Amino acid sequence: MPIHFNDRDVVSEVAGLSSALIVPCYMCPAVTVSVRENRPFIQLFKNFLKSAPYEQYIATLQSRLEEHGVTSTVFKSTPSHEWFMCMWTSGKREKLKKCAEQYDAVIVLGCDSATETVRDAIKSTGCKVVEGMEGAGTMNAQIRFHWPGNVSFENCKTVPISQQKKGQRSSG
Ligand code: SF4
């Protein structure tokens, strides 16, 4: 199951800058937001492959940045095989580098691996990398499909990463 996240204080991290490129991973963070808001992750017939709660979360973040004088753009990831930032193609990374050159900061919505993808791709640009979320653990949940095409997660628990490490030590 995906990583579960808490939000970080992005606004204070970009204070004094004028522009930011938001780079969202469209998998674990999108699941996190849908679970947090107790809403379907995907409604195929309403938004096809977009997760409405996550799209709204990103739009709200953009509004908050705007209120503090930071204009922002969202770096899009289509087709869907590019949702997972930990597995981006070299072409996608190159595209990010070119795009990031026009911004003061890149805000990553994702895990440490997503941030590593960004850091590596834009290292020559001088852009500030800001982590918008921090991992709180691994999610344990039951995936449910509801007619006509809704995908939700129910009975969710966040399993701390430290438990995983302990388990690995005792089995090794
Ligand atoms: S980059 Fe991180 S947040 Fe995104 S899918 Fe991979 S593990 Fe999940």
Side-chain angles (χ1 to χ4, degrees):
M1 276 304 290
I3 297 168
H4 190 76
F5 293 98
N6 292 328
D7 292 339
R8 283 181 189 261
D9 180 7
V10 171
V11 171
S12 69
E13 286 280 332
V14 295
L17 303 180
S18 58
S19 65
L21 180 66
I22 300 173
V23 185
C25 178
Y26 282 89
M27 184 39 71
C28 307
V31 173
T32 290
V33 173
S34 77
V35 166
R36 246 173 12 194
E37 297 186 6
N38 202 18
R39 294 168 62 194
F41 169 57
I42 294 274
Q43 293 178 287
L44 280 179
F45 290 98
K46 211 167 165 188
N47 300 301
F48 191 50
L49 289 177
K50 283 188 176 169
S51 181
Y54 193 42
E55 296 291 330
Q56 284 156 19
Y57 171 88
I58 294 169
T60 302
L61 174 59
Q62 287 192 278
S63 302
R64 285 177 47 232
L65 291 168
E66 190 75 48
E67 281 166 17
H68 289 80
V70 182
T71 57
S72 65
T73 306
V74 181
F75 187 71
K76 297 288 180 190
S77 280
T78 49
S80 51
H81 72 268
E82 292 177 342
W83 282 3
F84 300 78
M85 283 181 67
C86 41
M87 291 181 268
W88 269 5
T89 60
S90 57
K92 185 79 177 179
R93 291 167 198 241
E94 186 60 26
K95 192 174 160 194
L96 173 64
K97 185 188 132 198
K98 287 207 175 86
C99 191
E101 283 165 356
Q102 303 158 46
Y103 297 86
D104 298 329
V106 170
I107 299 170
V108 185
L109 300 179
C111 67
D112 291 347
S113 181
T115 304
E116 179 59 26
T117 295
V118 170
R119 279 195 206 286
D120 192 47
I122 70 163
K123 58 189 171 212
S124 62
T125 65
C127 262
K128 179 176 181 176
V129 178
V130 175
E131 292 174 274
M133 292 180 160
E134 62 185 351
T138 313
M139 195 181 295
N140 181 287
Q142 293 162 9
I143 190 165
R144 287 284 304 270
F145 300 92
H146 299 271
W147 192 89
N150 291 4
V151 179
S152 302
F153 297 94
E154 295 178 356
N155 298 322
C156 302
K157 287 183 278 193
T158 304
V159 182
I161 301 283
S162 56
Q163 270 189 12
Q164 202 180 19
K165 284 184 187 157
K166 253 189 253 168
Q168 280 169 355
R169 275 201 295 272
S170 58
S171 65

